Amino acid sequence: MSTTAIFLLSILALGFLITFQIAKASEYVSILKGEKKSFEQSNRVNAFLMVLFLIGSLIGIWLCHQALYGKTLLPMPSASDHGEKIDTMMFITIGVCGVVFFITQILLFWFSFKYQYSEKRKAYFYPHNTNWEILWTTIPAIALCVLVGFGLYYWYKITGDAPQNAMQVEITGRQFNWIYRYPGKDNVFGKKFYQKINPNDQNELGLIWEDKAAQDDIVTTSAMYLVVNEPVKINIFSRDVIHDVGLPHFRMKMDAVPGTPTTMYFTPKITTEQMKKITNNPEFEYEIACDQMCGNSHYSMKGIVKVVTKDEFALWRAGQKPQYQLVMAGNNTTDSTKTTTPNAAGDTSKVVAAIKK
Amino acid sequence: MSNEAAMHGHPEVVTTHETHHDEHHVHHHKETFITKYVFSQDHKMIARQFLITGMVWAMIGGLMSVLFRLQIGYPDQTFPWLEDILGRWAKGGKISAENYYALVTMHGTVLVFFVLTGGLSGTFANFLIPLQIGARDMASPFLNMLSYWFFFIASVVMLSSLFVQTGPFSGGWTAYPPLSALGDASPGSKVGMDLWITSMALFVVSSLLGGLNYITTILNMRTKGMTMTRLPLTIWALLFTAILGVLSFPVLLSGLILLLFDRHAGTSFYLSDIFMSSTQQALPNEGGSAILFQHLFWFLGHPEVYIIILPAMGMVSEVLSINSRKPIFGYMAMVGSLFAIAMLAFLVWAHHMFVSGLNPFLGSVFVLLTLLIAIPSAIKVFNWLTTLWKGNIRLTPGMMFAIGFVSLFISGGLTGIFLGNSTLDIHLHDTYFIVAHFHIVMGVAGFFGMFCGIYHWFPKMFGRYLNNTMAYIHFWVTIIGAYLIFWPMHYAGLAGMPRRYLDYSNWESFNQFSDLNKFISTVAMVVFAVQLMFVFNFFYSIFKGRKVTTQNPWGATTLEWTTPIRAGHGNWPGEIPEVHRWAYDYSKDGREFIQQTEPVNPNESKH
């Protein structure tokens, strides 16, 4: 065993030994002093510590807030319209719960200190009081009605149907990355079937090439491009296990479930470039974090969202070739993560055969 | 008062002879070592067996968290000495992703089921139910014994899964398929998952045998005069806990059996449209729903958190009342709110699934039902506070943990209002906010309830006291440490930092918390070391603690303190006691306390 381990273990053992000796000694001392007297003394000390803990905690909460609030997303503007609603709801809830938190915690530790044992004090026989109990049933009930009311109002807005003109994007999770698909010029996603998935033929999504609508679909793994201020509907799929499209800056999240398509929609409000300035971080990217345990590389399953202007989007789009063309032409794809196997690339007959299978 | 007992300069080791004296009047059958300590049918011994097994599991589960916190706190460092201790679990002094997830999964499974369900309910339901209702033992001591031994076998199977070659199950304690159904998706889902399912099935059997026994005993074996409204709140809480377990554990079992079929019998209950990247193959399964498992799992999973917290609430109510020297405020409201929580526990499971693609309308129903739980919870908190108000508070270690429980329950309960609201859950789901929430309200609060119970009833269990100084250190380090660990996690959650990641350094959005992660890991190690001190205190005091010399050291009213200090099998040497009043006559008519066995004096004031 290495020296570090021995060193750590011996410190631990020494700590235990000292504590144990003190603990044992204090037990003997309490016998000498008299049980009652030592009980009263430790009661006083602990009651004092209760109120000290209260004050210390309040200071600690303030310090923690100073240190960490700036690192959360709350001081930053939300990158989506839905996120703004969620932030509003968050502040309402923090307000309501914060008041309750401070009142009850202060009372709890203050009472523990104030009503500490004293020989002179007589506890007050007070088994119940219906009025009080009605009071603290109704007040929480009213507060919760407010929270439920606001919550559901926003919930229906966020989960409601996407507007008709919303841009459509498809995202598919697999162990351990994301695949994005755009419907192409016809604005219709081509049909797909998971049995047709064939990475060797560059058909990661199992698109059915006989379907005309599939032939102009764009498939990429580099990033999901979205247009600022334009509503987008994201259709979410999974190829293997459950994943989750987590978009912290947009405050959005939805599971990707194999066999059960899900959707989310929102309107991005801030472009990636603007966000770099807001966060003062030139490296900033909107990251897609997988938020559902999906296997051993779950922690590194990252995607990128690029929010761009309409013009930039058109430019990007113009540079993308439909997957069908890439497969047929056997070109190396623009997508660096794709692997082209020598026998499949460019071999049209093989693709056709795969379709017929 | 804990301090009436005299200190023994030459403490004696507990031997079987000591208890022999008390047993004398009760039963005359011969007891061997095997029937007394191993296959015991005495509820008190079974309780101790559950407690000690639970404590062993708690140490294993806690150690696991220290190991994986080492990885999150110091992702860029290696600890060669870890390899010396753990071998392949820490190759090159680093916890690999595979082992990290195995540790996280086992930590969750072990602490939720084996410690806070088996160890908590198992211990205190067994110990307190017969003693507090005035029964000689459980309705079926034999089933009770089986309940422990099924728990033990479940433990052995779970423990053995740590040593299989492909590793234990590593897909999170919720075991969502398809990840948990497909060995090709994760090595932990190979034989480790079969052992996990087997172990959980045995655990469910144990829980059912225990639960049916608890319910039967409480309903049928109360002593003369012990009407339901005279029961201490511990018993009410344990009754509701047992009912929750009996009604919800079978649903988990059915879900796991379907999972087993999907794994080995080629069925498609949960599987559909899957192409495995690791084998480059599409699976034939179609038409299953992965979400079905989540419904079945959380139909147990949510009541499970109340199975953990209700016994803690019951014991805390009892200890707060005894040590404030005041009746519990609003006894009927306390029973009513326990009942309301137990009922609502069955109606809120889908709040774990707001972002699983659940119909938004269904989601809104679950929002309403979930937030309703805050009302009985608020009643309980205010009633506890009023119980303390104008009391004469003795800060015994049990009492301090009870106060700590209330504080943690408030903190963790309030963050539940965030997560139960589907709008906020979209943002907070599966981030560190939820980790902070459930660790405070279920994990640490559950442990505080358990510590409260152990410190308070230790004199009854073992006839000796725990060392007070170590108890105070234990309390203060644990509560301060728990808040230092979990309070800042809320902030990480508000940044959207996902849980179950072992390294955030590649993430632009989450790497600002690396210092925080270090800090949390360091505090976690200190808190864990102090728990080891508690375990030492526990075992040391069983043999060498200060002896209890009075029957009723805390001045409590309930029946367990009318038994001999070291009660034998059968609990009361003579007749079982008759009950004449409720359990909370403290400081009434100028008397400090009136035991339940004392007949009501016609001149007594009414409550």
Side-chain angles (χ1 to χ4, degrees), chain B residues 237-521:
Chain B
L238 291 166
L239 173 65
F240 288 127
T241 305
I243 293 171
L244 283 176
V246 166
L247 294 181
S248 64
F249 266 114
V251 179
L252 174 74
L253 186 58
S254 65
L256 292 179
I257 289 171
L258 298 188
L259 184 58
L260 207 60
F261 285 160
D262 271 10
R263 290 170 58 78
H264 298 299
T267 56
S268 306
F269 291 106
Y270 307 130
L271 305 177
S272 186
D273 294 30
I274 292 167
F275 181 91
M276 285 315 309
S277 301
S278 58
T279 57
Q280 302 273 344
Q281 252 166 14
L283 303 187
N285 310 67
E286 278 182 57
S289 166
I291 302 299
L292 171 64
F293 180 84
Q294 299 186 14
H295 282 290
L296 294 174
F297 180 85
W298 287 114
F299 191 83
L300 158 90
H302 200 79
E304 170 62 28
V305 307
Y306 295 104
I307 289 172
I308 289 171
I309 212 70
L310 287 183
M313 284 175 166
M315 290 191 286
V316 162
S317 304
E318 184 75 7
V319 172
L320 279 177
S321 167
I322 292 171
N323 291 298
S324 302
R325 311 312 286 153
K326 273 185 70 189
I328 190 80
F329 182 80
Y331 174 82
M332 286 314 287
M334 290 305 249
V335 175
S337 54
L338 283 175
F339 176 74
I341 291 173
M343 286 299 106
L344 287 169
F346 285 112
L347 303 172
V348 299
W349 77 90
H351 69 215
H352 298 268
M353 301 161 60
F354 285 141
V355 299
S356 68
L358 193 74
N359 183 324
F361 173 72
L362 199 56
S364 66
V365 174
F366 279 98
V367 171
L368 184 67
L369 291 165
T370 301
L371 293 202
L372 277 182
I373 293 189
I375 297 171
S377 305
I379 294 172
K380 296 200 88 70
V381 168
F382 287 120
N383 283 3
W384 284 324
L385 289 176
T386 317
T387 304
L388 291 175
W389 178 68
K390 287 199 174 182
N392 196 12
I393 297 170
R394 303 178 316 197
L395 292 169
T396 62
M399 179 65 166
M400 289 165 75
F401 276 101
I403 292 168
F405 171 91
V406 177
S407 170
L408 291 159
F409 182 70
I410 295 168
S411 305
L414 285 170
T415 51
I417 293 175
F418 290 68
L419 293 159
N421 204 328
S422 53
T423 302
L424 296 181
D425 186 65
I426 298 172
H427 180 38
L428 300 174
H429 191 91
D430 268 340
T431 65
Y432 264 78
F433 196 92
I434 178 81
V435 176
H437 162 72
F438 73 73
H439 273 97
I440 290 181
V441 79
M442 178 182 81
V444 187
F447 264 103
F448 268 53
M450 193 164 167
F451 289 138
C452 160
I454 293 173
Y455 281 106
H456 187 77
W457 279 287
F458 191 87
K460 187 77 252 164
M461 280 186 182
F462 298 102
R464 290 173 189 267
Y465 294 101
L466 286 156
N467 179 293
N468 275 344
T469 310
M470 280 195 263
Y472 297 140
I473 296 172
H474 179 213
F475 171 76
W476 286 113
V477 175
T478 310
I479 191 166
I480 293 169
Y483 271 119
L484 284 178
I485 292 169
F486 296 113
W487 186 270
M489 279 190 190
H490 293 100
Y491 287 84
L494 287 170
M497 187 165 109
R499 63 195 282 209
R500 292 173 178 154
Y501 278 25
L502 53 132
D503 188 355
Y504 295 90
S505 49
N506 290 325
W507 293 81
E508 209 53 56
S509 318
F510 315 120
N511 65 9
Q512 71 269 39
F513 291 107
S514 60
D515 288 341
L516 177 65
N517 287 335
K518 273 194 187 64
F519 172 75
I520 290 175
S521 296

Side-chain angles (χ1 to χ4, degrees), chain B residues 526-569:
Chain B
V526 173
V527 173
F528 179 69
V530 169
Q531 307 314 308
L532 292 181
M533 188 190 75
F534 163 73
V535 173
F536 173 79
N537 190 7
F538 182 89
F539 287 105
Y540 178 81
S541 301
I542 289 177
F543 301 105
K544 305 233 166 172
R546 225 158 22 99
K547 275 195 170 173
V548 178
T549 51
T550 53
Q551 239 183 354
N552 189 0
W554 310 119
T557 59
T558 42
L559 292 180
E560 75 271 31
W561 306 105
T562 62
T563 60
I565 294 170
R566 286 167 179 281
H569 197 175

Side-chain angles (χ1 to χ4, degrees), chain A residues 1-2 5 12 16 19-20 23-24 26-28 31 35 39 42-43 46-47 49-50 53 61 64-65 68 71-73 86 89-90 93-94 97 101 104-105 108-109 111-112 115-118 121 123-129 133 136-137 140-141 144 147-148 151-152 154-156 158-159 174-175 193-195 197 199 239-242 248-249 251-255 257-259 262 281 283 287-296 298-299 301-302, chain B residues 3 5 7 81 84 97-98 101 170-171 176-179 185 187 272-275 277 280 282-283 285-286 294 324-330 333 355-357 360-361 364 371 374-375 378-379 382-383 385-386 388-395 400 403 407 410-411 414 417-418 421-424 426-427 429-431 467 469-470 472-473 476 480 483 487-488 491 494-495 498 500-502 506-509 512-513 529 532-533 536 540 546 586-588 607:
Chain A
M1 202 181 283
S2 69
L12 200 67
F16 274 138
T19 320
F20 173 63
K24 209 146 177 331
S26 66
E27 209 166 51
Y28 285 110
I31 301 299
E35 294 283 332
F39 158 75
S42 72
N43 213 58
N46 279 314
L49 286 175
M50 285 279 170
F53 175 73
I61 288 170
C64 178
H65 191 75
L68 297 178
K71 295 183 176 183
T72 69
L73 289 167
I86 290 172
M89 189 66 222
M90 187 73 79
T93 313
I94 290 174
C97 292
F101 175 82
T104 48
Q105 296 281 13
L108 175 68
F109 289 102
F111 284 173
S112 306
Y115 300 108
Q116 62 177 286
Y117 172 84
S118 142
R121 194 195 313 281
Y124 174 39
F125 185 78
Y126 192 53
H128 64 98
N129 179 322
E133 285 164 85
W136 57 60
T137 310
L144 288 168
L147 293 178
V148 171
L152 292 186
Y154 290 131
W155 171 246
Y156 281 119
I158 294 166
T159 58
R174 49 161 282 191
Q175 287 178 323
F193 182 45
Y194 80 103
Q195 295 277 3
I197 294 172
R239 239 175 63 169
D240 36 42
V241 302
I242 301 178
H249 300 94
R251 320 284 194 268
M252 294 301 289
K253 196 168 286 158
M254 182 55 81
D255 279 0
V257 186
T262 55
N281 177 6
E283 309 283 304
E287 287 169 328
I288 305 175
C290 180
D291 274 327
Q292 186 63 255
M293 177 67 203
C294 64
N296 287 341
H298 168 58
Y299 70 102
M301 184 166 165
K302 178 156 77 170
Chain B
N3 309 292
M7 176 78 182
W81 53 272
D84 299 338
E98 193 180 323
Y101 286 123
S170 60
Y176 284 179
L179 184 63
S272 186
D273 294 30
I274 292 167
F275 181 91
S277 301
Q280 302 273 344
L283 303 187
N285 310 67
E286 278 182 57
Q294 299 186 14
S324 302
R325 311 312 286 153
K326 273 185 70 189
I328 190 80
F329 182 80
V355 299
S356 68
F361 173 72
S364 66
L371 293 202
I375 297 171
I379 294 172
F382 287 120
N383 283 3
L385 289 176
T386 317
L388 291 175
W389 178 68
K390 287 199 174 182
N392 196 12
I393 297 170
R394 303 178 316 197
L395 292 169
M400 289 165 75
I403 292 168
S407 170
I410 295 168
S411 305
L414 285 170
I417 293 175
F418 290 68
N421 204 328
S422 53
T423 302
L424 296 181
I426 298 172
H427 180 38
H429 191 91
D430 268 340
T431 65
N467 179 293
T469 310
M470 280 195 263
Y472 297 140
I473 296 172
W476 286 113
I480 293 169
Y483 271 119
W487 186 270
Y491 287 84
L494 287 170
R500 292 173 178 154
Y501 278 25
L502 53 132
N506 290 325
W507 293 81
E508 209 53 56
S509 318
Q512 71 269 39
F513 291 107
L532 292 181
M533 188 190 75
F536 173 79
Y540 178 81
R546 225 158 22 99
Y586 292 100
S587 301
K588 187 181 177 187
H607 63 73

Side-chain angles (χ1 to χ4, degrees), chain B residues 149-208:
Chain B
W149 286 103
F150 270 102
F151 174 63
F152 186 82
I153 300 168
S155 297
V156 170
V157 174
M158 189 62 81
L159 197 65
S160 68
S161 81
L162 295 176
F163 301 99
V164 297
Q165 196 183 4
T166 48
F169 178 53
S170 60
W173 78 283
T174 52
Y176 284 179
L179 184 63
S180 61
L182 304 170
D184 289 331
S186 163
S189 301
K190 291 184 170 140
V191 66
M193 185 57 187
D194 289 323
L195 290 169
W196 192 90
I197 293 175
T198 311
S199 171
M200 287 311 299
L202 290 165
F203 184 85
V204 171
V205 172
S206 155
S207 168
L208 292 181

Side-chain angles (χ1 to χ4, degrees), chain B residues 600-605:
Chain B
V600 181
N601 184 327
N603 303 326
E604 225 174 81
S605 59

Side-chain angles (χ1 to χ4, degrees), chain A residues 264-324:
Chain A
M264 71 159 97
Y265 99 89
F266 61 91
T267 309
K269 303 277 269 194
I270 303 171
T271 64
T272 304
E273 287 305 315
Q274 286 170 325
M275 208 61 173
K276 283 180 180 170
K277 291 199 186 91
I278 292 170
T279 57
N280 224 348
N281 177 6
E283 309 283 304
F284 177 85
E285 291 287 359
Y286 289 118
E287 287 169 328
I288 305 175
C290 180
D291 274 327
Q292 186 63 255
M293 177 67 203
C294 64
N296 287 341
S297 294
H298 168 58
Y299 70 102
S300 58
M301 184 166 165
K302 178 156 77 170
I304 300 283
V305 177
K306 295 229 186 244
V307 179
V308 295
T309 61
K310 216 176 167 90
D311 295 343
E312 286 167 330
F313 183 77
L315 204 65
W316 170 78
R317 188 58 186 277
Q320 300 297 307
K321 286 209 176 104
Q323 189 68 14
Y324 183 66

